[in-house]
Amino acid sequence: MSHTHVLAAVSRLDKVLIGLGAALAGLLLALPLFGSPLIVDKLTLLMIYIILAVSWNLLAGFAGLVSVGQQAFIGLAGYFVLRLAEAGMAPFPALIAGAVVVLLVAWPLSWFVLRLKAAEFAVAMWVLAEAIRSVIMFDPLVQGETGRSLVTLNAIDADLRRTAIYLMAVASAILVLAVSYRLLRGRLGGESQAIRDDEEAAGSVGVSTMRVKRTIFLISALGCAIAGTLWLASAITYQPRAAFGINWSVFMLFMVLVGGLGSFLGPVLGALLLFALQEAFGDFGAWYLTGIGCVAMLFALYAPRGIIGLITDRLGREPLSMRKELDVRSERRGR
Amino acid sequence: MTQHPSPGTGDLHNDAPPRAVVLSADRLVKRFGSLRALDTVSFHVRDGEAVGVVGPNGAGKTTLFAALAGTFPVNEGRISFGGQAITHASAETRNALGLARTYQVPRPFLGMTVFENVLVAAQAGGGAGQAEARDLAADVLARTGLMPLANVPAAATGLLDRKRLEVARAIATRPRVILLDEIGGGLTEAELVKLIALIDSLKAAGLTIVWIEHILHALLKVVTRLVCMAEGRVLAEGDPQEVMKDPSVRRAYLGSDPE
């Protein structure tokens, strides 16, 4: 049987954007050759923000699972890296393994939290994050409030270390973006959106709701865990209160809601905005947090679909939309 | 196999031997608090049948559908589909086996387009691969008259199109049996004609249909057997005309005493 029905071709704009993205990725990977250490450090942070925003958007924007406890995986990843390094693993392998080990915690957790609905899920995730932090603070290795440094990583030459962590961050961001693009364009994208819109109806058309939610939950947890290890790698010191801080959830919410919930490009734009705001106003301390709150409020009131919504209204279509469009012209030819 | 008076054989136009029972519910009980929404309901559907379900509001019709489709577990009784016990199976498992349902108040995936709504059903319930699912979804859109709306957000469609989308999504899962819950409700007479034509085409294509409907003239055009429920029980079943003449049915359903 020949397949006559096709999806509409990728638009010119999207092709240009993907090309630009690829060029930008190449530029970012080459940056350590000519960029100053300060720029490299700052861009590492930007990559961490992008990874976090994309991961949170997968969960909330596509599967409808709003969590304010993803810092559980950020904090846990850092902790596992410390533990693995303490057990004798070399620092860079520990950074990768630490993130993967988080899945061993996220998987059993998913059986419990994914049975909860909406607000219960959101709050349960926060409670879990706090509970896990409390437990970890009992570990003598972490020394409670004091925290601990990843000493073996600190022993590596500063320039080499900076470049390596930066490259890991860029590679991870590219990976997270590419994986989520593939998944959302495929079957999982449609299934997760169906669950977001109406979980019972999704089940009635054969969507294995638990399996889909668990898959998205685990991918998102892994994304946050990668961000967590990268953050530990660039900060060197691990303090449970910071690693499990609710700030992370505030940032993720800000980036995704301001960028555009449930869009592909929105979280990236939101991460850029948060990064820019921190660069511009970070010196004002607490006032800058107030400013971020005001920006979020203005968006909620006047541009609820975020930056991507403003762009979509102007262009008439969403750039890099995950929408699957049936090519109705080929439809007529085919019949 | 069943003690019911005339399962499937009530169809006067069908002289062929009765076909196998595909969907069977045995003595179902569903309680909501002290209310017995289903009070020992037995219900059987044969392959290729078109069964109508009528009864006053609160009779338990939609509850029966929800129990059959796996929306919630029953308190007592057994359900089997194609000879397989599904009493404890999830809704998605039942759909995968070939049992699809539509909702009385349409529940489209509002954040997706009409095509995406059908595509996800074709992939998940229909088990179709990427390219195959596109063909299946496009075919279903053409059959249900939704092709012109393929790329329109489901949230932007009207009631008739949402009702069609309910049917489209259900048949995209490639079911053997489809449960239609008041698919005609709220439509104008002209819209109803189009919808009946659609359901007739499904029947002609060999799909087994179970249809809850208050609009009797629409229902009686399609169904070959009628089941009347009241207060969580099956009052009568069999040939549609006979059932509508049954005194207990007239009392419960039409609110008039037979004279």
Side-chain angles (χ1 to χ4, degrees):
Chain A
M1 175 178 174
S2 72
H3 297 292
T4 47
H5 308 285
V6 292
L7 295 186
V10 178
S11 76
R12 272 254 310 266
L13 173 69
D14 285 2
K15 280 182 189 158
V16 171
L17 284 174
I18 292 170
L20 275 178
L24 191 62
L27 188 68
L28 283 172
L29 287 169
L31 186 105
L33 297 176
F34 51 84
S36 73
L38 184 68
I39 299 248
V40 169
D41 276 342
K42 284 196 186 300
L43 287 178
T44 304
L45 184 66
L46 175 61
M47 294 302 125
I48 292 173
Y49 282 171
I50 289 175
I51 295 166
L52 286 174
V54 171
S55 302
W56 197 81
N57 185 48
L58 268 183
L59 198 62
F62 284 95
L65 294 163
V66 176
S67 162
V68 287
Q70 294 306 96
Q71 61 273 18
F73 307 123
I74 300 174
L76 262 179
Y79 171 72
F80 286 139
V81 173
L82 278 184
R83 266 279 157 214
L84 289 169
E86 180 72 13
M89 194 184 269
F92 282 105
L95 287 174
I96 294 164
V100 176
V101 173
V102 167
L103 289 179
L104 298 181
V105 177
W107 190 70
L109 274 186
S110 72
W111 289 90
F112 160 64
V113 291
L114 292 178
R115 293 186 190 280
L116 303 174
K117 298 281 174 236
E120 294 170 5
F121 169 76
V123 173
M125 284 303 299
W126 187 6
V127 171
L128 276 169
E130 285 297 294
I132 294 170
R133 175 185 60 79
S134 312
V135 171
I136 280 174
M137 282 172 75
F138 281 117
D139 186 336
L141 178 74
V142 175
Q143 309 170 81
E145 302 282 350
T146 317
R148 185 160 194 112
S149 294
L150 190 54
V151 281
T152 49
L153 187 65
N154 208 19
I156 296 172
D157 169 68
D159 280 334
L160 178 66
R161 189 177 74 214
R162 179 180 296 110
T163 306
I165 292 164
Y166 167 79
L167 290 176
M168 278 173 75
V170 175
S172 303
I174 294 170
L175 187 75
V176 167
L177 280 166
V179 166
S180 64
Y181 187 88
R182 281 289 301 174
L183 286 177
L184 293 175
R185 294 292 295 174
R187 174 172 165 176
L188 195 73
E191 290 184 327
S192 59
Q193 290 175 71
I195 292 170
R196 173 197 68 194
D197 289 351
D198 190 329
E199 189 166 344
E200 186 196 313
S204 84
V205 297
V207 175
S208 305
T209 50
M210 261 320 241
R211 181 184 55 76
V212 171
K213 287 200 294 184
R214 183 172 305 119
T215 307
I216 297 275
F217 182 80
L218 291 179
I219 295 170
S220 177
L222 182 62
C224 290
I226 290 171
T229 62
L230 289 168
W231 188 65
L232 169 63
S234 48
I236 301 289
T237 44
Y238 179 81
Q239 283 175 312
R241 279 210 194 274
F244 285 95
I246 187 74
N247 277 15
W248 292 114
S249 273
V250 175
F251 287 163
M252 283 185 258
L253 263 131
F254 176 88
M255 292 186 285
V256 174
L257 296 183
V258 168
L261 182 76
S263 66
F264 180 75
L265 209 49
V268 180
L269 298 174
L272 280 166
L273 181 66
L274 177 68
F275 178 74
L277 287 174
Q278 285 189 343
E279 283 306 302
F281 305 108
D283 295 338
F284 293 91
W287 281 107
Y288 125 85
L289 285 172
T290 314
I292 284 193
C294 289
V295 171
M297 225 162 5
L298 286 173
F299 267 93
L301 287 174
Y302 299 109
R305 288 182 299 132
I307 302 171
I308 203 76
L310 298 174
I311 295 174
T312 304
D313 289 345
R314 178 144 299 191
L315 296 178
R317 63 178 299 146
E318 185 191 319
L320 291 179
S321 167
M322 290 296 106
R323 193 139 267 180
K324 289 162 191 129
E325 202 177 331
L326 185 69
D327 187 349
V328 187
R329 282 174 311 138
S330 83
E331 187 56 32
R332 288 203 197 96
R333 276 201 306 273
R335 306 232 127 197
Chain B
M1 188 171 280
T2 164
Q3 298 85 31
H4 287 266
S6 52
T9 49
D11 181 3
L12 298 172
H13 313 288
N14 184 6
D15 293 327
R19 287 193 264 185
V21 170
V22 58
L23 173 62
S24 161
D26 193 27
R27 304 179 65 80
L28 296 185
V29 174
K30 178 66 191 176
R31 285 184 290 265
F32 294 114
S34 61
L35 173 77
R36 287 168 86 89
L38 294 179
D39 189 358
T40 342
V41 171
S42 295
F43 181 77
H44 308 272
V45 180
R46 290 177 180 278
D47 221 357
E49 258 194 315
V51 183
V53 181
V54 295
N57 288 324
K61 306 182 297 294
T62 297
T63 308
L64 174 65
F65 270 22
L68 294 173
T71 309
F72 44 64
V74 287
N75 299 105
E76 291 169 35
R78 284 196 309 271
I79 308 170
S80 71
F81 186 83
Q84 199 171 335
I86 56 165
T87 315
H88 304 291
S90 67
E92 57 254 33
T93 305
R94 296 182 201 208
N95 181 273
L97 288 171
L99 181 61
R101 79 174 290 195
T102 67
Y103 289 97
Q104 184 176 352
V105 177
R107 293 171 74 162
F109 305 126
L110 289 170
M112 302 163 79
T113 65
V114 168
F115 170 64
E116 287 175 318
N117 265 264
V118 179
L119 184 70
V120 71
Q123 290 182 317
Q130 292 267 10
E132 190 191 2
R134 284 200 292 270
D135 283 354
L136 176 56
D139 180 52
V140 165
L141 289 179
R143 278 169 74 190
T144 50
L146 287 170
M147 190 55 93
L149 300 176
N151 295 320
V152 170
T157 57
L159 183 63
L160 173 64
D161 291 323
R162 288 190 185 198
K163 296 256 179 187
R164 282 172 162 161
L165 183 52
E166 283 290 317
V167 177
R169 222 170 46 178
I171 61 177
T173 67
R174 299 199 267 211
R176 271 175 82 186
V177 176
I178 185 168
L179 309 174
L180 302 170
D181 193 351
E182 283 193 40
I183 199 77
L187 297 180
T188 66
E189 204 50 42
E191 289 172 335
L192 199 55
V193 170
K194 290 180 188 167
L195 206 76
I196 293 170
L198 171 59
I199 295 167
D200 254 332
S201 74
L202 300 180
K203 188 183 160 191
L207 192 61
T208 306
I209 293 167
V210 186
W211 183 6
I212 295 176
E213 192 54 78
H214 279 302
I215 309 165
L216 284 174
H217 71 88
L219 189 66
L220 295 176
K221 280 196 186 99
V222 178
V223 300
T224 52
R225 187 158 65 89
L226 200 59
V227 174
C228 180
M229 290 181 71
E231 292 170 5
R233 291 166 172 273
V234 174
L235 268 191
E237 64 174 304
D239 174 74
Q241 304 303 331
E242 301 284 317
V243 168
M244 290 319 292
K245 279 188 218 144
D246 188 297
S248 63
V249 170
R250 296 184 69 90
R251 243 192 326 273
Y253 187 51
L254 303 172
S256 70
D257 265 316
E259 292 303 326

